[in-house]
């Protein structure tokens, strides 16, 4: 599983540590769109759809990376792969959630459910369920 991510949102996160072949953290890499690849829900890797920005984080070897709404517009697994010259590859996995479900789990929204999930196929509710639905 990856880090939960709300669909269709801008996100900035720290990715790393970028190291050379001997394990030394690299703090002076130049990262841009051409270094960043993503795979949306198992699709082949491609370049970013949106505009990615990357800049050094406060810890050597880590970089902040920003993704746009076009990069987070597919629900399911999202893998970000960064390959910078002189560094070993680094990747981060996310699970992109439908916005309403994400807000229900991690925010204050309530998860919406279909009333047909209660009762039987003819919507035959118990007396208590009918009272609860009407709010009486």
């Amino acid at each position: 599983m990856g880090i939960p991510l709300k669909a269709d949102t801008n996100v900035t996160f720290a990715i790393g540590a970028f190291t050379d072949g001997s394990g030394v953290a690299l703090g002076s890499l130049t990262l841009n769109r051409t270094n960043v690849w993503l795979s949306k829900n198992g699709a082949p890797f491609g370049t970013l759809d949106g505009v990615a920005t990357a800049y050094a984080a406060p810890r050597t070897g880590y970089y902040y990376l920003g993704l746009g709404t076009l990069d987070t517009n597919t629900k399911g697994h999202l893998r970000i792969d960064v390959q910078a010259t002189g560094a070993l590859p680094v990747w981060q996995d996310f699970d992109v959630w439908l916005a309403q479900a994400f807000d229900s789990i991690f925010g204050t929204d309530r998860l919406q459910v279909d009333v047909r999930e209660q009762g039987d196929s003819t919507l035959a509710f118990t007396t208590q369920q009918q009272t609860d639905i009407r709010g009486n």
Side-chain angles (χ1 to χ4, degrees):
M1 274 189 66
I3 298 168
L5 180 64
K6 186 176 179 177
D8 303 312
T9 59
N10 296 317
V11 62
T12 299
F13 59 97
I15 189 167
F18 288 88
T19 61
D20 64 13
S22 65
V24 174
L26 302 171
S28 60
L29 295 175
T30 300
L31 301 178
N32 56 46
R33 291 186 80 228
T34 61
N35 302 106
V36 183
W37 295 82
L38 57 82
S39 172
K40 296 179 181 181
N41 205 27
F45 278 93
T47 56
L48 298 177
D49 291 322
V51 177
T53 55
Y55 50 96
R59 183 166 166 86
T60 301
Y62 286 82
Y63 294 81
Y64 288 118
L65 179 64
L67 303 176
T69 58
L70 295 175
D71 301 313
T72 61
N73 65 353
T74 301
K75 283 72 165 177
H77 187 76
L78 173 66
R79 173 163 278 193
I80 305 297
D81 180 59
V82 183
Q83 298 183 14
T85 302
L88 295 173
V90 174
W91 61 90
Q92 180 68 59
D93 292 318
F94 295 94
D95 288 320
V96 181
W97 294 41
L98 183 67
Q100 199 273 326
F102 183 93
D103 290 341
S104 296
I105 302 291
F106 301 103
T108 59
D109 197 4
R110 292 185 179 165
L111 188 59
Q112 297 171 353
V113 296
D114 190 329
V115 73
R116 291 175 294 179
E117 293 176 5
Q118 295 290 323
D120 62 21
S121 62
T122 63
L123 293 180
F125 293 105
T126 66
T127 303
Q128 182 61 52
Q129 287 171 327
Q130 291 174 17
T131 301
D132 292 343
I133 291 169
R134 285 193 302 267
N136 296 338

